[in-house]
Every structure is written in structure tokens, then in C-alpha cells.
Amino acid sequence: MTPRRRRAIGDRIYRALLRLFPAEFRGDFGDDMAADFRDQRADARARGVRGLARLWWRTVPRLLATAAVAWIDDLGRDVRVAARILARSPGSTAAAVIMLAVGTGANAVVFGVVNAVVLRMPFADAGRVASVLESTPRDPRSAAIPVGHLPILEASPAFEAVAAETVGSVTWAAPDGPARLSIHCSTAGIFRVLGTPPLLGRTYTPDEDRPGAAPVVVLSHRAWTQRFHADPDVPGRTMLLDGVPATIIGVMPAAFRGATEGNLIDGWVPFGPALDGGTFLGCSARGPVVFVRLADGVSLADAAAQVNATGRLAALPAYSGETGARVELLQLTDQNLGDLRGPFAALVGAVGCLLLIACANVASLHLERLASRRSELAVRVAMGASRGRLVRQVLAEMIVLWGLGAVGGILAARMTLTALVALMPPAMPRRDLIALDVRTLAVTLAVALVAVVSVGLLPAVQATRPDLGRDLKAGGRGAVRGARRTRPALVVLQIAASLTLLIGAGLMVRTFLVLRPSQPGFEATGRVVARVTLPGSPDEAADIRPFAAAVSADLERLPGVRDVAMATFVPMTGLTSTRDLTAGSVTVAAWSTAVTPNFFDALGIRLEAGRPFGPGDVPGAPAVAIVDEEAARRLWPDGPAVGRIVEVEARGGRTAHLVVGVAAHIRDFGPRIRTDPQIYIPFEQQPSARLFHFVVRMDPSAPLPESAIRTAVAAARPGQVVDSIDSLQAIVDRSVAKSRFGAWMFGLLGVLAVVLATLGLAAVVGWWVTERTREIGVRMALGATAGLLTWQVLRGGLVLAVAGVTIGVAGAVLGTRLLATWLYGVTALDAGTFLACAGLMLLVTAVASYVPARRVVRLDPIVTLRAE
Amino acid sequence: MPPRPPRDPTALLPLTPAMFHVLLSLAGGDRHGYAIIKEVAERTGGEVELSTGTLYGLVKRLLADGLIVTAKRRPASASDDERRHYYSLTDFGRRVASAEAERHERIVQTARARRLLRRTGDA
């Protein structure tokens, strides 16, 4: 290579590096820099190859650093200029900032929720953690697995770890009085299956998970902070659980809630001691749920196929008692988040729509603002400003708006997030971890920036393509070129996006109205429900009547108490017992509860036929039952139910009950409405329940007698605690928390979207009127009536609305299916909701166009003709 | 449009060493970029070696702050590339450089008083 050629290559490399600088910098200094570097190279060459290498080595990094600084300087200058320009029109700047704040704030809130609830992976390598389901012909997809199946699952090479778990509750003799704790009884494998190390101390070993081992307990973060004030020295201390001293050996981290991701777990105790058929710390070995961690590289389907292929499980009786069970594996995060993902994706889509609508409004406002600066832009082009430079300047204005909007939005999000979390269903996983953390803020800011800049490019590109001659002559009036097409297009987009959102909101609100138990079949106001669990196994028979009678008698003496009833299960608590009812050849599964005679009165449940339970319905007397209308209709479709015999599934067989009454059907649902038949059995004739509820009917004005109930229970049985005390109304409200949350969220977003889109439409129609003032004046002078002109303007708005509504309906058809898991009593494509929302949107847009259109009527032809 | 230079030269102090060297170099006469780089290297015995990137980053700042300007006339002795820009110190730039030099002088005096410098005339 000749020296000359080498020099040319060096020049070219240096010139290429200079391209990293902003064009302006390059224009100002590029030639000098290249010339200087050529001289430097000539000098360095005198010192040989090493001298040359040293020069390059020193030059390149500094060049890169200077380029970065030059860019930052440039941007800073653009932003300062942009801020000055924006400050010149405070009204439209404030409007743009508020709209962006609404869009950004809504995004921050929803990302915060989605990040905590859906995206945060609760387990290490969560894709490999699954729960085991067994299917038999009579009992498909049962999560309850007989204990005898565990060794077979543990022996399978498809699994790295296997764990069985059941829920229990124990009474802890705490220093400040007994307390009820929710615990999980889990085999030692659970910590390997879930793969989460403890925050403090350790988890238990297989040796501690055997009958006879010294009892140990691992605390949840919640229990550690709430009950032990986050004392780091807790490991090693002893808790007296149901009278058994158990050593605290560890504390789990805050985000760990166990396999089922419950919010209220207090701790984990070994399940092993209960597995041989006994009970241990409130846990019995009947049908635990089983979780597995798949071996590396094994898929869910492969693992299930491997287990089924051995045929060993099929040979054993399944939970239903049948043989031939087949295993199915369900990824645990899918199971825990199953019905949340779709609606949450819809929520993300909804806030995305809202941000888009806000950005479209901002872009539209910006086009209007740029229209008044057309001559300024034209002058700058005439003076030699490059188009890229002007685009950058306009974009800098958008970035300043973005910054201000983001600050406002994040402040708004901070203020609303707490209220929103309070609205969320209590069972929503990790709802207490919802916060505007760094990840949420980063995503929110990035999404908003991308949205603002991409929408901002539109006015930037259009405004900087000025028609020099025309713009300089026009003296800055009239629209930015292309805005006549762009702004209507933006409005169509906005109407479409807000209608899609509105339809989603409509479906959620309708679901809420269906689920909201306006007529649940019982009276909720003034009723207080207290749940009590007596220690011991649910399988162990025990007569609880003396205890129940003593508590009832105490409670009845309280001021304000009208009546005290008892029931094993109360509607809408989420706790149910389902039993098969058989009459002749018909068998139905029914919600069942054992109640005292005054239960129907205390809850205001109507008896449609027959009699309530009476003092004669005691053990020894004929077994009786009251069924609801639904059971009566299904079991005896052809005649009255009273006087018939129904066989009720009982432990180990069936017992025959004489139907003495038919009650009105009451609504019971936790996550879903149950339309199951219902059956009531006298409490006296089935008094061995361990878990039951006192239903206290109060004077409407009387306060919740919480401490009085606790005192009465403790007096009747020393050391006994009350699990929970709630007004029945609160229980009913909680049962619809999910749909109420959905209705609020989508409703709020829908309303915001419609407001923003309407403002956008009104602005565009108003701008038309202003643009055509002269034309309108001419036509008025020529005799066009005000009515005709108003209609023409109005028609312009409606054409946009119809286009937007058409696209919006199409969007909703595609989008609402995400909500399907949360909808109830209404389908995702409900025609009524679609029509009503589309109609509402058209009406709103008609009004939004009419207001500016009316200005036409008021125009004075003389004035309008002078308008230009 | 460069911002109006601030009246008070001390408002820009302290200067970065590289910036001060560029001003010192121009205090000796108008120069183009490479001449500045060479003069600084020679004067400091190779201790301060400005790269082209660093230099023009500084030049841009100094121009914007009104400490230097692009010289309208090339020195008569200029025999190189016609397109090269020469830079000269403004009055304000000279005052800033003086103020910086005085600042250094005060530091040196203090150092001397504390017997950190053995001989006079070292600075």
C-alpha cells in the first residue's frame, strides 16, 4: 500500500467517525478537525508506527466522548428553545400536559398492578413448577390427590421434587392472647418445588417432616412483620400451636406466598406427621394438593405421559374412590393467574388506548399551534435551517410536553394507586406489593416517550414541509399543510379507541350489575357473621351443642341483638360443602348447610312451602331437611317436594331425610354465581361440625359487637378464638370484589377516553368552522340558511364519528374476548352493550360537533367576509 | 445565536485545565486548531496533549461563551489550507484568562507561604 493510499484510508476513517457528531457541529468544525488530524498524523508518522498507533488510540475515545457531549448540548438547547415556545401559549400547553398526564398516570397505575400481580415470578424457574390433577370418569380434574399416590409421583424421574400440601388453621397461644393462624401443612419438598430460599433461618428438612419429629414452623413474611414486629432474632423461638410447642426455624421473603399465592398465610408446618392418617397442627391427610418441579428439560405433557405410562397410579383408588386415574399437570402460575391474565392484558390495552387518544389530542393541538408558526418555520427554512433541524425542534417541544405530562401523571398515579388497591379483590395475588417501583416507572416513561414522539413526528414532519411561497405570503395564517387530512384521521382513531374501551367498560359494568346481589334471596343489612373453628380433626365426631348454646345465650343478652342463629355454612363466604342429593333415579350436587331453626328468620330467607325446622327436629327424631326451589324443581319436577324423601350423601354413605319445607333459592358465590340446588339440615341432627358460623341479627343502628362476640366465645370455651367477624354486607361486597374492580377500572378508563376523544372532536370541528369562516360568510351572503350551514358542519363531525364507531366496534370484537374470564351473565360480544355504547358514542360526538357548529349561526356575514 | 457574555469574568471560573491552556495559547496570537494543539504540547513538554475531539468540543464552548471568536483575517504568515479557521481571544476571553491566572497565582502564593515550593520563580 502506498503512503498516499494509507493517508486516504486514514482520512476516510476519521471522516466516518465525524459522522457521529450532530450535523451542525460537523458543519462548523468537521473540515478543521479532519485537516488538524491529517497534520497530527503527519507528525506522528515521524515517530514510526508506534507513534501513529498511539495517536489513533488517544483520538478515537475522545472523539466519541466529544460527540456524545455535542449531542447532549444540542438536545439541551432544543429543549430550552422548546420550553420558551411552549410558554408562549400557556393554554394549549396546559391542555396538552393535562391530557398526557391522564394518559401517563393511567399507564403507571396499570403497569404497577400488572408488574406486581402478573409479571413478578413468584417461584424460581416458574415454568417448571406445576400442580397435579387426577381425572377419573366421575371426578374429572380433581386437585385432591390421595396420600397413597405420593410415593409413586416421588419415584418418577420426570420430577425433580414433589410436595403435598393442605391448608389448616391453628390457635397460637400468643403472649397478648390467643390468635388464629392460617397455615399450610406442606411436605419438606415444597421449598424445593417452589425454589425460594428463606429470608431468615432455614426451611425444614425431610427428617423434620416425619411423625415424631420435633415440631417446627416457618413463618411467612406477613406473620413475621405483623405478629413479631420483624424481629430478626425470631428463629429459635417457640410458638405454642394448638398446645404443641413448635420451634420457629425460618422466615420466608415478602414476595413468597406459598404455592397457592394466598395473601393471608401465616406459616408452613411439616405435613409428614399427619400423612399416616392422623392430624397434626390442624391439618388432616385427606386429599392434599400436590405440586411438582419438573426435571430439567422435561415438558408438562411428557412428565404426565411418563407417570401415566407406568400404570401404577391407575391401579390405586383415586380421591373419588374409582380406579383408572390419569394424571395431568398444570403450570402453577397459569393456575394461580388463570383468570387474571386476559383481563389484565385488556387493561394494558385499555390504558394503551387512553394514552393513544391523549397523544392524538396533543398532536392535533400541536398541528394547530404550528399553523400559527408557519411563517416563522418558512423563514427559518429560507435562512437555511435544515428540515431535520426543524423536525428536531418540533420533537423537542413534544419531549418537553412528555416530561411535564409524565411528572403530572406519576404524581396522579401515586395519589390514586392506594385507592385502587383498596378496590381490588382481597384474594388478588401480591396486591400488597403493588407500587410504583423503578421498573414500573421506567416502562411507563418509555412507553409514554415512544407514544409522544411517534405521534409528534406527524406534526413535525408536516409542519416542516412548508410551501415557502404560500406560507411567507399568508403571514402565518391557515392550516399546516396536510393537517386537513391528518386531524380528522386522528379524530377517527380516537373515537375508535374510546369506543373499544367503552364497550369493554360496558361489559364489565353489566357483569357487575348481574353479580351485584341486589336480590340475593336473603337480608344482609344488620347481620353479623362470626366464624369459629374448634380444634381437632374435621373427621373426629364431637358434640358442639353445649358450646354453641352457651355462646348463643350470651350473645342474645347483648344490647341491640335481636336473634342469634347458627349454620355450618353461610352464603357468599366462599366456604361451601357440596353433597349429592338423590331422589329416585335423579342425583344432583347441592350446596348444603346445617342450620338452627331460627336461621331462616335471622337471614330473612322466605319459605315457599312447608314449615321451618322446629324444636322437635332433634337427634332420634326422624331426619328432616328443607330444600330450595331449585332442588325441588330438579328432584321432583312433577309435584310438590314437601313430604318426599331425599337421600343425602353423608360420610361413608347416604341418609334419608324427610323434606319438610321448600325455601327460596339464595345466591351464593365466591368467584362465580352458584346456581346449585341447596339443602338445609337441622343443626341439632348434625352437630359434629368443627367449623361453623354464628349469625347475629342486630338492630340496624347497633355497632358491630366484635369484642362482645370474642368474649362470649372465650367464656364458653377458654382459649377458643373467633376466626373472623364481619358484617354480612361486607362479605357480600367482597364476593363481588373482582367484578366491581373490573367495572371501576374499565368504567373509569372508558369515561376518560370518551371525554378526551370528545374534546378532540370538538376541537377539530371548531377548527373547521374557523378555517371556513370566509367560505361560510360568502354562502350566508348568498342566502344559505343558518340551519343548513349548521347541519353541514354537524354532518362533517358525524361522518368522522361513524367511521370511528365502525373501526371501534371492530376493535372491540377483537379485544373483548380477553375479558371473557371475568364476564358473567353477558357474553364478550353482547349485542346490547355494543349497540348501546356505539349509540352513546354517536350521541356524544353529535353534541361535540353541534357546539362549535352553532357558532356558524352567530356569524355576521360582514365580519366573516373580512376574516381574511 | 451565542448567549451574551456574562460581564463578570470570574463567573466562569475555575476553567478546566484544557480550556485554560487553549486560552493561554490564543493569548500568544491567533491560531488554528492544530497550531493550538502543537503549541500546548510544546509549552507543557508533552504533558498536555489535546486530541482534535477534545479541542473542538472546547472551541465550541469558548465560542458560545464569547471567550474566543473566529478570526476575520488570516495571519499574513499563514501558509496552509485556505479553509482552515483561525481563532482569536476576545477582550472578555482575555479577562477570563487573566482572572484564571490570578486564581492560580493566589494558589501558588499560598503554597509558597506553606513552604510547599522551595524556590521562587517555579510557577
Side-chain angles (χ1 to χ4, degrees):
Chain A
M1 204 188 292
T2 63
R4 194 169 168 175
R5 191 169 155 68
R6 267 205 302 272
R7 276 199 295 278
I9 292 176
D11 274 352
R12 224 176 291 155
I13 294 174
Y14 192 80
R15 286 268 176 201
L17 287 170
L18 284 179
R19 296 203 72 82
L20 295 172
F21 282 80
E24 210 178 325
F25 191 100
R26 214 164 54 230
D28 286 347
F29 305 112
D31 289 339
D32 291 80
M33 290 171 83
D36 289 354
F37 188 62
R38 207 176 304 127
D39 290 347
Q40 276 186 313
R41 286 209 318 278
D43 286 355
R45 214 171 292 123
R47 291 193 292 275
V49 177
R50 280 183 63 171
L52 259 180
R54 186 162 168 273
L55 177 67
W56 278 104
W57 175 250
R58 277 164 25 85
T59 301
V60 174
R62 295 191 196 183
L63 209 57
L64 297 179
T66 313
V69 171
W71 276 111
I72 293 169
D73 275 0
D74 252 37
L75 188 71
R77 196 183 50 192
D78 285 347
V79 165
R80 279 194 299 276
V81 173
R84 275 204 296 276
I85 290 172
L86 291 172
R88 269 192 262 154
S89 43
S92 75
T93 300
V97 167
I98 289 171
M99 286 189 233
L100 286 178
V102 168
T104 317
N107 271 275
V109 166
V110 167
F111 289 156
V113 171
V114 169
N115 183 31
V117 177
V118 183
L119 296 183
R120 204 185 283 241
M121 275 295 132
F123 322 121
D125 206 356
R128 285 166 59 199
V129 183
S131 70
V132 178
L133 302 177
E134 287 188 355
S135 291
T136 59
R138 232 191 104 214
D139 195 10
R141 306 192 97 196
S142 161
I145 311 290
V147 167
H149 293 197
L150 282 177
I152 297 175
L153 293 169
E154 279 163 356
S156 169
F159 306 129
E160 190 178 299
V162 176
E165 182 172 276
T166 183
V167 288
S169 62
V170 287
T171 301
W172 170 38
D176 53 351
R180 199 83 191 150
L181 302 184
S182 295
I183 52 161
H184 278 185
C185 296
S186 318
T187 56
I190 194 74
F191 301 103
R192 279 182 62 208
V193 168
L194 303 182
T196 310
L199 177 72
L200 284 182
R202 59 181 181 86
T203 54
Y204 40 84
T205 61
D207 280 338
E208 286 164 319
D209 187 26
R210 293 205 174 106
V216 292
V217 56
V218 174
L219 291 181
S220 73
H221 195 270
R222 173 179 177 272
W224 179 58
T225 49
Q226 291 185 3
R227 304 188 192 268
F228 291 95
H229 312 294
D231 179 358
D233 298 325
V234 148
R237 283 171 47 186
T238 304
M239 294 172 88
L240 207 59
L241 302 178
D242 280 354
V244 177
T247 308
I248 303 170
I249 55 168
V251 175
M252 296 307 286
F256 182 80
R257 308 291 162 89
T260 48
E261 298 190 53
N263 288 331
L264 303 176
I265 290 301
D266 289 304
W268 292 262
V269 299
F271 194 20
L275 283 182
D276 57 359
T279 58
F280 177 69
L281 294 181
C283 295
S284 90
R286 270 186 55 184
V289 286
V290 174
F291 305 104
V292 293
R293 175 171 284 270
L294 299 177
D296 208 3
V298 179
S299 72
L300 291 172
D302 288 349
Q306 280 184 36
V307 172
N308 288 330
T310 63
R312 291 176 62 197
L313 279 185
L316 295 173
Y319 189 68
S320 63
E322 296 170 279
T323 53
R326 290 184 67 78
V327 163
E328 189 185 335
L329 299 172
L330 196 61
Q331 197 176 311
L332 195 52
T333 47
D334 284 348
Q335 185 175 324
N336 289 340
L337 297 174
D339 72 334
L340 290 180
R341 281 189 178 147
F344 273 36
L347 215 47
V348 170
V351 288
C353 278
L354 191 66
L355 184 62
L356 211 63
I357 294 167
C359 285
N361 268 349
V362 171
S364 193
L365 270 177
H366 219 75
L367 276 170
E368 202 167 306
R369 197 205 312 264
L370 288 172
S372 62
R373 281 168 52 201
R374 260 186 355 172
S375 63
E376 173 211 321
L377 294 172
V379 168
R380 287 181 66 181
V381 171
M383 286 175 66
S386 74
R387 179 130 180 254
R389 187 81 201 74
L390 292 185
V391 168
R392 238 168 61 206
Q393 183 56 56
V394 176
L395 280 184
E397 288 163 35
M398 301 303 280
I399 288 172
V400 170
L401 290 177
W402 162 77
L404 294 173
V407 169
I410 287 166
L411 287 179
R414 270 193 74 113
M415 287 188 281
T416 47
L417 199 62
T418 324
L420 182 87
V421 170
L423 252 177
M424 292 177 91
M428 185 83 74
R430 293 181 291 280
R431 53 171 271 183
D432 52 320
L433 299 179
I434 293 169
L436 294 178
D437 58 3
V438 175
R439 187 158 125 173
T440 304
L441 291 182
V443 171
T444 306
L445 292 178
V447 167
L449 184 63
V450 168
V452 167
V453 168
S454 42
V455 177
L457 269 174
L458 203 70
V461 170
Q462 282 189 352
T464 56
R465 196 173 46 195
D467 178 343
L468 272 186
R470 192 189 130 207
D471 288 351
L472 287 171
K473 264 188 279 173
R477 271 171 308 186
V480 166
R481 203 176 181 203
R484 283 194 183 83
R485 279 194 307 276
T486 312
R487 293 192 67 185
L490 287 175
V491 166
V492 170
L493 180 83
Q494 287 178 305
I495 294 175
S498 46
L499 178 62
T500 302
L501 246 170
L502 196 63
I503 289 174
L507 293 173
M508 289 310 301
V509 169
R510 282 198 56 182
T511 298
F512 177 60
L513 292 180
V514 170
L515 288 180
R516 199 176 63 125
S518 52
Q519 303 215 305
F522 59 86
E523 289 287 335
T525 42
R527 271 71 174 180
V528 176
V529 174
R531 192 179 84 202
V532 172
T533 315
L534 296 178
S537 155
D539 300 328
E540 219 172 281
D543 192 347
I544 59 165
R545 279 175 299 173
F547 167 72
V551 174
S552 296
D554 258 11
L555 292 179
E556 273 162 8
R557 279 198 293 273
L558 292 176
V561 169
R562 290 187 182 169
D563 204 358
V564 179
M566 285 178 55
T568 48
F569 295 103
V570 174
M572 301 202 182
T573 51
L575 298 169
T576 53
S577 160
T578 303
R579 295 186 184 196
D580 283 351
L581 307 185
T582 310
S585 60
V586 186
T587 298
V588 295
W591 182 80
S592 81
T593 179
V595 301
T596 50
N598 58 352
F599 179 79
F600 298 94
D601 267 354
L603 274 168
I605 298 172
R606 214 171 55 245
L607 272 188
E608 301 288 348
R611 64 165 176 90
F613 297 135
D617 299 321
V618 290
V624 292
I626 292 174
V627 295
D628 79 329
E629 303 155 298
E630 187 68 25
R633 193 178 58 75
R634 291 213 219 159
L635 291 172
W636 302 283
D638 50 349
V642 176
R644 310 276 192 133
I645 297 292
V646 61
E647 288 183 63
V648 181
E649 174 198 4
R651 218 160 281 154
R654 292 175 183 174
T655 43
H657 289 249
L658 172 69
V659 176
V660 295
V662 175
H665 179 75
I666 59 169
R667 303 251 305 257
D668 171 66
F669 49 86
R672 281 275 179 270
I673 288 185
R674 300 176 65 92
T675 49
D676 290 354
Q678 291 152 358
I679 184 163
Y680 304 86
I681 291 163
F683 199 78
E684 287 277 325
Q685 292 185 338
Q686 191 223 349
S688 68
R690 299 223 159 249
L691 182 151
F692 52 92
H693 301 80
F694 291 98
V695 180
V696 185
R697 188 170 150 221
M698 308 286 302
D699 284 334
S701 56
L704 197 75
E706 200 170 327
S707 63
I709 293 177
R710 292 191 194 280
T711 311
V713 167
R717 195 170 178 283
Q720 178 64 46
V721 294
V722 182
D723 297 351
S724 63
I725 300 176
D726 269 312
S727 76
L728 187 53
Q729 190 60 54
I731 293 172
V732 170
D733 287 346
R734 268 207 299 276
S735 72
V736 291
K738 197 184 281 177
S739 60
R740 189 182 50 196
F741 171 69
W744 265 102
M745 281 303 282
F746 284 93
L748 208 63
L749 292 175
V751 168
L752 283 175
V754 170
V755 168
L756 289 186
T758 309
L759 288 176
L761 180 74
V764 166
V765 176
W767 162 75
W768 272 355
V769 173
T770 315
E771 274 268 293
R772 295 183 186 172
T773 302
R774 192 182 158 79
E775 174 201 331
I776 291 166
V778 171
R779 291 172 63 184
M780 281 174 93
L782 290 174
T785 62
L788 180 68
L789 289 171
T790 308
W791 163 243
Q792 281 174 347
V793 174
L794 188 61
R795 196 180 55 190
L798 283 177
V799 166
L800 298 186
V802 169
V805 164
T806 311
I807 300 172
V809 166
V813 167
L814 296 174
T816 51
R817 71 185 59 180
L818 288 170
L819 292 175
T821 55
W822 275 18
L823 296 180
Y824 189 89
V826 55
T827 65
L829 295 178
D830 180 64
T833 308
F834 271 63
L835 279 177
C837 291
L840 180 69
M841 199 73 219
L842 283 175
L843 186 72
V844 168
T845 47
V847 172
S849 325
Y850 180 69
V851 173
R854 227 175 31 168
R855 282 207 335 246
V856 171
V857 188
R858 305 221 183 103
L859 292 175
D860 178 347
I862 306 297
V863 176
T864 54
L865 287 172
R866 286 201 202 115
E868 296 237 349
Chain B
M1 186 172 50
R4 276 164 63 101
R7 296 262 163 74
D8 181 10
T10 57
L12 293 177
L13 304 190
L15 300 178
T16 62
M19 206 180 254
F20 190 36
H21 278 301
V22 173
L23 293 185
L24 284 177
S25 177
L26 292 179
D30 295 357
R31 287 192 166 88
H32 60 65
Y34 185 55
I36 298 173
I37 292 175
K38 263 176 88 168
E39 196 274 336
V40 170
E42 280 163 14
R43 182 159 42 80
T44 61
E47 203 176 290
V48 180
E49 288 188 49
L50 297 172
S51 76
T52 46
T54 313
L55 175 72
Y56 284 95
L58 292 172
V59 165
K60 186 170 183 255
R61 283 280 301 283
L62 294 171
L63 283 169
D65 287 342
L67 300 186
I68 62 172
V69 286
T70 311
K72 290 199 181 75
R73 288 194 311 190
R74 294 158 57 78
S77 62
S79 56
D80 49 27
D81 189 340
E82 293 268 322
R83 286 170 304 176
R84 269 193 172 163
H85 289 103
Y86 277 72
Y87 301 100
S88 56
L89 205 56
T90 61
D91 283 348
F92 179 66
R94 192 169 292 278
R95 282 194 288 147
V96 172
S98 299
E100 176 71 3
E102 281 161 18
R103 194 178 68 84
H104 282 275
E105 187 175 34
R106 284 193 297 278
I107 294 172
V108 171
Q109 277 170 1
T110 310
R112 197 166 286 138
R114 305 267 155 94
R115 298 178 176 282
L116 292 171
L117 289 176
R118 248 179 251 152
R119 286 176 293 129
T120 56
D122 262 7

